[in-house]
């Protein structure tokens, strides 16, 4: 079984910067939701999200929700926090 790598970049306002085959949104300050349609991860096992913030200063990222279906669709929600521990928007890359 081969693995599939899906790389996407999401702006701090939640809109996709690069990549295709997914939707993204900023649902609140520092909260981002990504969805991948059926067939994206079919036969691949559960997707392993990696979220890399591109912002000035320290940022903590927490995966707060993830789901995957037998159809190969998946969704995940991330929260980003600044050095003070406050939810904060960031330009990010979800891989």
């Amino acid at each position: 079984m081969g693995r599939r790598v899906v790389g996407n970049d999401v702006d701090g306002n939640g809109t996709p910067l690069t990549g295709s085959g997914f939707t993204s949104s900023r649902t609140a300050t520092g909260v981002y939701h990504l969805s991948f349609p059926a067939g994206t991860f079919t036969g691949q096992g559960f997707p392993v999200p990696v979220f890399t913030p591109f912002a000035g200063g320290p940022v903590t990222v927490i995966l707060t929700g993830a789901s995957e279906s037998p159809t190969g669709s998946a969704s995940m929600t991330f929260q980003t926090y600044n050095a003070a521990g406050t939810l904060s928007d960031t330009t990010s890359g979800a891989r």
Side-chain angles (χ1 to χ4, degrees):
M1 167 176 28
R3 298 287 178 210
R4 180 171 181 201
V5 176
V6 178
N8 304 300
D9 292 315
V10 177
D11 195 10
N13 65 12
T15 59
L17 289 173
T18 63
S20 62
F22 76 105
T23 60
S24 62
S25 62
R26 176 186 163 273
T27 59
T29 299
V31 181
Y32 301 90
H33 184 80
L34 284 83
S35 296
F36 298 88
T40 303
F41 299 105
T42 302
Q44 308 270 328
F46 193 80
V48 178
V50 176
F51 191 96
T52 306
F54 299 104
V59 176
T60 300
V61 179
I62 298 174
L63 175 67
T64 58
S67 65
E68 180 257 347
S69 81
T71 66
S73 65
S75 65
M76 52 204 69
T77 302
F78 295 92
Q79 292 181 340
T80 57
Y81 294 84
N82 61 21
T86 304
L87 281 166
S88 157
D89 294 331
T90 181
T91 301
S92 59
R95 307 242 181 247

